[in-house]
Amino acid sequence: MELALQIDRLMRRLNARIHVQAPQFDQHNIGPIGGMILLTLAEVQPASIQTISQLMGRDKGQLSRLFSNLERRDLVLRINNPADQRSHLLRLTPGGEEFVISVKQVLDGAVHELLAPLDEAEKAEMVRLLEKI
Amino acid sequence: MELALQIDRLMRRLNARIHVQAPQFDQHNIGPIGGMILLTLAEVQPASIQTISQLMGRDKGQLSRLFSNLERRDLVLRINNPADQRSHLLRLTPGGEEFVISVKQVLDGAVHELLAPLDEAEKAEMVRLLEKI
DNA sequence: TATTGTTATACTCTATAACTATA
DNA sequence: TATAGTTATAGAGTATAACAATA
């Protein structure tokens, strides 16, 4: 069977699980992409939009708007980039850091359910292979 | 690192590769989801919208519209379902079958590029794990 | 009464490109 | 001249729900 279809279905199921839980934890109403952006930023902050854009494979214009949105909700802030006056560096606010933790919990729970058919060795192998790609 | 982020990035990269090739092979202009629908139908046809909806984890209303679109382009057709008068069975037309072949080629090429960092055994393992989920 | 499919609506996500300000 | 970011716009994808026809 087509690998691409499998990956798509996996992602769909993951989204579906998170979606039903969203009303409980997504108080800021930032949506799935907002959540992924925060998680990504958490790993590399402080970082420019350009960095996040390349990392996530998403358009910088899209990210610019989404970050403005997150900034309005006090989840991230733009600080000066001394190395380049054209850009800012993005950083999570304390509220953002806190929110990231709850997003991670929900995501980990959903991933855990989804990977239930695999034993521990297989899960580790899956992660290893994905990281290698 | 978060598995969900990894899978998302994988899917984004796959889409990006296919997107640049789309002008060459997507003469019918059905987009990535249209392509995935045709591939899915090819595996289980003839099938009802309900079946495809469950298989793909996508809304039946969305699929209904998309199938009307594909029907207008003579890629699929709705035939009578003798077992249930409420539904129709969907089937690829000869043109649809032909198109699926070219979509598969492009997709396989993109997946192959993406999985290049893995050796043959690892690729097989990856497919096995995904199928198990 | 429940299910299948259709249609409508509003919203989010995405691609593209024009624009500005710095480099 | 090239790059980082912003903004605008049009279009694709999605969730939700109301509805008609059939089970």
Side-chain angles (χ1 to χ4, degrees):
Chain A
M1 215 265 289
E2 288 293 339
L3 193 70
L5 292 185
Q6 286 181 319
I7 297 173
D8 179 64
R9 286 174 205 175
L10 191 63
M11 205 64 202
R12 296 283 312 161
R13 284 202 283 157
L14 195 60
N15 266 332
R17 270 159 212 269
I18 293 166
H19 188 256
V20 298
Q21 290 183 263
Q24 271 94 60
F25 79 94
D26 188 8
Q27 324 95 334
H28 303 286
N29 207 32
I30 61 168
I33 298 224
M36 288 197 293
I37 288 175
L38 290 183
L39 290 180
T40 304
L41 181 59
E43 287 173 8
V44 296
Q45 70 172 330
S48 66
I49 284 194
Q50 180 69 0
T51 304
I52 305 290
S53 167
Q54 284 168 356
L55 212 55
M56 299 187 70
R58 285 195 158 79
D59 182 70
K60 65 193 163 80
Q62 181 190 8
L63 290 178
S64 175
R65 253 175 306 112
L66 290 167
F67 271 118
S68 298
N69 209 340
L70 294 172
E71 198 177 22
R72 222 173 298 127
R73 289 156 212 258
D74 285 323
L75 295 169
V76 304
L77 44 82
R78 297 182 217 240
I79 59 180
N80 236 315
N81 182 356
D84 188 337
Q85 284 305 112
R86 292 173 303 182
S87 76
H88 290 253
L89 291 177
L90 297 157
R91 178 184 278 295
L92 293 172
T93 63
E97 299 273 9
E98 203 178 306
F99 188 51
V100 162
I101 292 173
S102 71
V103 171
K104 265 193 180 164
Q105 279 175 354
V106 173
L107 206 52
D108 284 348
V111 168
H112 185 262
E113 276 183 59
L114 219 60
L115 296 190
L118 305 184
D119 61 40
E120 287 309 314
E122 288 174 326
K123 279 184 206 172
E125 178 70 0
M126 182 87 165
V127 171
R128 190 184 73 79
L129 293 177
L130 281 172
E131 266 168 10
K132 197 163 172 185
I133 296 172
Chain B
M1 214 265 289
E2 289 292 340
L3 193 70
L5 292 185
Q6 287 180 321
I7 296 173
D8 180 63
R9 286 174 204 174
L10 191 62
M11 205 63 202
R12 296 281 312 160
R13 284 202 283 157
L14 196 59
N15 266 332
R17 270 159 212 269
I18 292 166
H19 188 254
V20 297
Q21 290 184 264
Q24 271 93 62
F25 80 93
D26 188 7
Q27 322 95 335
H28 303 287
N29 207 31
I30 61 169
I33 298 225
M36 288 196 294
I37 289 175
L38 289 183
L39 289 180
T40 304
L41 180 59
E43 285 173 9
V44 296
Q45 69 171 333
S48 67
I49 284 194
Q50 179 70 359
T51 304
I52 304 290
S53 168
Q54 285 170 356
L55 211 55
M56 298 188 71
R58 285 196 158 78
D59 182 71
K60 63 194 164 82
Q62 181 191 10
L63 289 178
S64 175
R65 255 175 306 110
L66 290 167
F67 271 119
S68 298
N69 209 339
L70 295 172
E71 200 177 20
R72 221 173 299 125
R73 290 160 211 255
D74 286 323
L75 294 169
V76 304
L77 42 85
R78 295 182 218 241
I79 58 180
N80 236 316
N81 183 355
D84 188 339
Q85 284 306 112
R86 290 174 304 182
S87 76
H88 289 253
L89 291 177
L90 296 157
R91 177 184 277 295
L92 292 172
T93 62
E97 297 274 11
E98 203 177 308
F99 188 50
V100 161
I101 292 172
S102 72
V103 171
K104 266 191 178 164
Q105 280 176 352
V106 173
L107 206 52
D108 284 347
V111 168
H112 185 262
E113 275 182 61
L114 220 59
L115 297 190
L118 305 184
D119 61 38
E120 286 310 314
E122 287 173 327
K123 279 184 206 174
E125 179 69 1
M126 181 87 167
V127 171
R128 189 185 75 78
L129 294 176
L130 281 172
E131 267 167 11
K132 197 164 174 184
I133 297 173

